[in-house]
Amino acid sequence: MAKFLLDTNVLIPVEDARATPDSYAALLRDLQARGHTSHVHEATLVDIKRDADAVRRSISLSKAAKYPLIKKSWRNEKDLSKEFGAFKNNNDLSDAHILSALADGLVDALVTEDQGLHTRARRHGLGHKVLTVRQALDFVNGTYARIDYVLKSVSRKFCYELNPADPIFTSLTEDYPPFAVWMEKCRKNNRECWVVEDDRSVAALVIFKDENEDETPPGVVGDRVLKLCTFKVSEEYRGGRLGEQLLRQAMCFGYDSKYDSIYLTVYPKHVALRELVQDFGFRNVSEMENGELVYSKHWDRLLEIDAADAVLLRRNYPAWPSEFHSGLIVPVRPGYHDRLFPEAALRLANMPGDLFSSAWSQGTAERSSPSNSIRKVYLGYTPTSHVPTGSLVAFYRSTDSEMGVGSAIAAIGIAERYEEVHDYEQALAVVAKRSVYSNEELEILVQKPGLKALTFLFYGYLKQPVTRADLERLDMISGPPQSFVSLHGRRLEALQRTVSGNLEAA
């Protein structure tokens, strides 16, 4: 099982924790129930000992004493600063000690609500191992792998089309009492929104509007600006990465519609949302008088992007790179392909074998639930030892004789990271934020040697899927691919031509 390191703000609930105490208690309970172990770091005890309140300090230390201790590593302050960034204070030093435990593999994941620690981890290649309480709870219970609801795709509607009594609006009003009055104005003014719905209610919602330069807050640049006024995922659907699906919708719409910038405002306590938008190029550019932080993403449309520059690529997503150095065809078995790319069904249904579309529409909740993330992880067995960052990846869905669907490429991504997975704990760390695999499946997958993990940015679907016959005609393959097929030179150029002008976000 996995080892989870608990930060101070998780172990000793304060401030933000008061708003969601049930989540914190549930996490500690479920970690134990599922056989995972919880640990504290020696640096956490140092933080607690700096508390000037003697009574609170004593209580906190007594709580921490119940957990196994991870001691500081061999690194001195100079080593820590070189490896994990400069320190401004003692708290930064403690953060570096904690990250060293992650880097050394002493623990598999860190759970923290500290946005600064999330940011430092991302900068030093450890972001995939750092979870918020909600992310950790969702992962431990397997909800990244399975959401037991049948959800519709993102749809664009007018606000007046939504039921005012929907529970998601009740939640928004509880968080912000003037919301009901503001929402009524949105209805009367024909304001539009993107929603994800089930058969009963709204699962996730983004209300948006055009703004001109005179309306935007300081730091948001451009003549045409898209504001995300409301960004909300229902508590019932947390863990399904619907927020990421809606963010992708907003970014693709903003980029394709020639907006200069896109922005939203968020309170500091909403760590998960701040982390999500920062992952895809939003920057904190200013602060409102009410304490909300302004996060904005600006597209430089004259910028030439090398696909190998992972930071620049994500910052400008979904802008398409101007240069690729390598390509890859990845064969995926139908079951896993359907989880990674559920919307591919709409494209493949136009191919010979319409049974696939029929089976999908009548599928179980598990089969029909969408995999919503922008960054995804593919797990599979292949002898390929290296996949360069920035490789153009075409996912080849193998033949599904049961559903009558032929082989084809419908989904496109760009490689971010590639690594061999040796054991269950490493698998948990690799897929913790991106998983479409259940914990039980991971346990089975790691038992066979040669398991590889490909983390990639998902860019969208081909308007016209590329069949096996097409690929053979273009000399990209000479038969059904059994493993990764590397593409360079003219074969890479052929793949680029195939994707160019044939790609759409959803």
Side-chain angles (χ1 to χ4, degrees):
M1 291 292 104
K3 295 180 179 178
F4 284 78
L5 187 59
L6 307 181
D7 196 15
T8 313
N9 50 54
V10 176
L11 185 68
I12 319 294
V14 292
E15 296 186 348
D16 293 350
R18 293 194 190 107
T20 54
D22 291 345
S23 296
Y24 287 67
L27 175 61
L28 298 178
R29 181 189 65 241
D30 291 352
L31 284 172
Q32 182 178 14
R34 296 182 181 277
H36 303 297
T37 57
S38 303
H39 302 258
V40 297
H41 197 281
E42 186 178 6
T44 294
L45 301 185
V46 173
D47 278 344
I48 293 173
K49 290 175 181 177
R50 285 197 290 267
D51 190 344
D53 187 318
V55 174
R56 186 172 58 196
R57 182 174 66 243
S58 176
I59 294 173
S60 298
L61 287 171
S62 69
K63 289 184 178 181
K66 296 186 294 184
Y67 298 90
L69 184 67
I70 302 293
K71 303 204 74 175
K72 294 178 182 177
S73 74
W74 52 269
R75 298 171 180 83
N76 58 32
E77 290 191 24
K78 183 178 179 181
D79 293 323
L80 288 167
S81 177
K82 182 178 179 181
E83 193 167 346
F84 303 109
F87 316 134
K88 294 181 181 179
N89 49 46
N90 288 329
N91 288 333
D92 286 349
L93 175 60
S94 293
D95 289 351
H97 277 297
I98 289 170
L99 290 180
S100 72
L102 273 183
D104 291 344
L106 304 180
V107 292
D108 300 300
L110 166 67
V111 185
T112 180
E113 296 293 300
D114 184 341
Q115 180 61 25
L117 189 46
H118 278 265
T119 299
R120 188 181 289 267
R122 283 198 306 275
R123 288 174 178 168
H124 299 281
L126 294 169
H128 61 293
K129 294 186 177 183
V130 182
L131 310 174
T132 63
V133 170
R134 172 55 63 181
Q135 288 170 341
L137 186 60
D138 289 332
F139 174 70
V140 167
N141 287 291
T143 53
Y144 280 131
R146 187 177 293 110
I147 301 296
D148 294 326
Y149 303 94
V150 179
L151 298 171
K152 302 173 185 176
S153 299
V154 175
S155 58
R156 183 173 174 175
K157 293 188 173 185
F158 289 104
C159 289
Y160 61 71
E161 294 182 81
L162 304 179
N163 182 357
D166 193 284
I168 199 168
F169 297 125
T170 303
S171 173
L172 283 162
T173 303
E174 288 174 353
D175 285 346
Y176 180 63
F179 176 82
V181 175
W182 178 81
M183 186 62 185
E184 188 59 31
K185 292 180 181 178
C186 290
R187 296 175 187 279
K188 292 179 178 178
N189 293 331
N190 294 344
R191 184 75 60 81
E192 290 186 281
C193 59
W194 292 299
V195 294
V196 180
E197 300 172 277
D198 65 14
D199 293 331
R200 299 176 293 107
S201 61
V202 174
L205 167 75
V206 170
I207 300 173
F208 60 94
K209 63 171 288 197
D210 281 328
E211 282 197 348
N212 57 47
E213 194 173 11
D214 295 335
E215 295 178 285
T216 57
V220 180
V221 299
D223 297 325
R224 270 197 92 212
V225 174
L226 179 67
K227 180 182 180 182
L228 308 183
C229 310
T230 299
F231 199 118
K232 179 72 174 179
V233 176
S234 170
E235 186 69 24
E236 185 178 5
Y237 288 94
R238 294 289 174 87
R241 307 205 74 81
L242 296 184
E244 195 161 331
Q245 187 183 42
L246 285 174
L247 180 63
R248 179 169 173 267
Q249 170 72 38
M251 289 189 294
C252 290
F253 174 79
Y255 186 78
D256 291 343
S257 301
K258 310 299 182 186
Y259 285 91
D260 299 308
S261 296
I262 179 174
Y263 86 95
L264 75 165
T265 61
V266 56
Y267 285 105
K269 68 178 183 179
H270 296 304
V271 177
L273 178 56
R274 292 170 58 198
E275 181 188 31
L276 171 61
V277 299
Q278 285 183 125
D279 265 352
F280 295 99
F282 285 75
R283 296 291 178 266
N284 180 199
V285 296
S286 60
E287 183 174 341
M288 308 288 283
E289 290 184 2
N290 63 359
E292 285 185 289
L293 304 176
V294 180
Y295 278 86
S296 177
K297 177 185 177 85
H298 172 66
W299 288 288
D300 181 351
R301 297 181 182 274
L302 300 179
L303 184 67
E304 292 191 352
I305 302 172
D306 187 324
D309 189 335
V311 174
L312 193 62
L313 190 69
R314 193 140 18 119
R315 186 176 298 163
N316 288 277
Y317 183 91
W320 190 247
S322 54
E323 185 175 8
F324 288 94
H325 304 282
S326 59
L328 195 68
I329 295 176
V330 175
V332 187
R333 287 185 295 171
Y336 288 118
H337 188 281
D338 296 348
R339 290 198 211 171
L340 279 169
F341 312 112
E343 292 166 323
L346 299 176
R347 278 85 184 158
L348 295 170
N350 295 324
M351 297 173 57
D354 286 342
L355 285 175
F356 182 74
S357 178
S358 174
W360 184 274
S361 65
Q362 300 299 321
T364 64
E366 178 183 342
R367 184 178 174 89
S368 300
S369 61
S371 171
N372 304 300
S373 58
I374 302 170
R375 296 178 70 214
K376 300 175 184 282
V377 176
Y378 164 79
L379 292 176
Y381 304 98
T382 173
T384 302
S385 60
H386 177 63
V387 173
T389 298
S391 295
L392 174 56
V393 185
F395 292 91
Y396 176 93
R397 187 185 190 278
S398 57
T399 300
D400 190 340
S401 55
E402 178 185 348
M403 297 300 177
V405 180
S407 304
I409 289 173
I412 299 294
I414 297 178
E416 281 200 324
R417 192 173 68 249
Y418 183 68
E419 57 198 300
E420 186 166 358
V421 179
H422 299 283
D423 52 43
Y424 177 67
E425 287 73 20
Q426 184 188 358
L428 286 176
V430 169
V431 307
K433 292 185 178 182
R434 309 284 129 199
S435 180
V436 295
Y437 308 90
S438 71
N439 295 346
E440 293 78 10
E441 287 172 321
L442 290 179
E443 289 181 326
I444 295 171
L445 286 169
V446 298
Q447 291 176 13
K448 180 180 175 181
L451 183 65
K452 306 289 188 6
L454 174 65
T455 303
F456 62 96
L457 275 178
F458 175 57
Y459 266 77
Y461 297 101
L462 297 179
K463 299 173 187 176
Q464 181 60 48
V466 181
T467 67
R468 173 183 161 186
D470 294 330
L471 294 169
E472 291 177 344
R473 178 176 53 79
L474 294 168
D475 194 30
M476 282 191 269
I477 60 174
S478 57
Q482 303 301 314
S483 185
F484 289 5
V485 178
S486 296
L487 303 176
H488 297 88
R490 59 182 178 77
R491 295 205 299 167
L492 172 60
E493 292 173 3
L495 179 60
Q496 287 181 258
R497 287 195 301 270
T498 300
V499 173
S500 180
N502 189 24
L503 189 66
E504 59 184 353

